Amino acid sequence: IMLAIVGVAFAVNSARMAKEHNERHQCTNNLKQIGLGLHNYASAFDSLPPAGLGPESIPAGDRISWLLGIGPFLESHPMWRSINHDRPWDDACHAALRQAHMWLVDCPSVTNPVRADGSFSTFYVGITGVGPDSATLPATHPRAGAFGITRTIKFSDIKDGFSTTMVVSETSQIQGAWIQAGAATTRAVDTAERPYIGPNRPFGGNHRGGVYVLFADGSVRFAKDRVNPTVFESMATINGNDPYRMGALEGD
């Protein structure tokens, strides 16, 4: 009997580990595809998209998100034809997009991404930089990150190195629909929120032990939850001239 119990426990554990491995692989692939979309967008417009797409007459948080902006650069889909950059994210013309379950916004380890209003959330957020005001800073500011409310970053603006500059991170903290600009699809590295990584923290929480991060060179790496907060902050900026960036993702 004991051997049977051990055998069942082993099988259950093996199945759990296989499921977790597959989810991690898919999450990594999602981020790589998002990186491809960002690079394709930059090739077309000579810059990364701003955090919110739309005219200044629309409040920043009511514009459509950068995730929606890169969608047409990833796949051909009739749904993209309904995008209207001159209308807010919650306008009737975007109803189908709000309730669309798009692969590029969904971490596979999360079982129910649907919000109470029927819209789908996202588990991938653009990095605005360091500090709660980082989304409003000019591109040359040492705390500015890859995404800002209105600023558009060229790859040539990334002075701190493509392979050590975070662009997008996964998160388990959901704050809105995937097509909504602002807090729903961007995140600041706020020093008041240390430690940064893990359940109920600003970043990660979907996979044990850390967070998957997309870097400006298109690579995806795993930042362990014990990584030095100073290092994580330094990798969130594009022009910070930080001395702590290299070789630091293992959290040693």
Side-chain angles (χ1 to χ4, degrees), residues 17-85:
M17 291 180 64
K19 179 176 181 293
E20 183 175 331
H21 174 78
N22 290 336
E23 290 171 348
R24 287 173 177 262
H25 177 76
Q26 185 60 51
C27 186
T28 300
N29 186 62
N30 286 356
L31 282 167
K32 287 182 178 179
Q33 291 300 309
I34 289 173
L36 177 62
L38 289 171
H39 277 260
N40 288 344
Y41 183 102
S43 294
F45 294 105
D46 197 33
S47 71
L48 294 173
L53 301 170
E56 293 185 3
S57 58
I58 300 176
D62 292 336
R63 299 172 192 171
I64 59 176
S65 75
W66 65 271
L67 272 170
L68 187 58
I70 68 171
F73 293 91
L74 284 172
E75 61 180 357
S76 177
H77 197 295
M79 192 173 294
W80 303 130
R81 298 172 189 167
S82 64
I83 299 175
N84 187 335
H85 290 76

Side-chain angles (χ1 to χ4, degrees), residues 142 160 230 233-246:
D160 287 339
T230 302
E233 292 157 13
S234 72
M235 293 189 298
T237 62
I238 64 171
N239 193 32
N241 193 28
D242 313 285
Y244 310 108
R245 304 171 79 93
M246 299 304 296

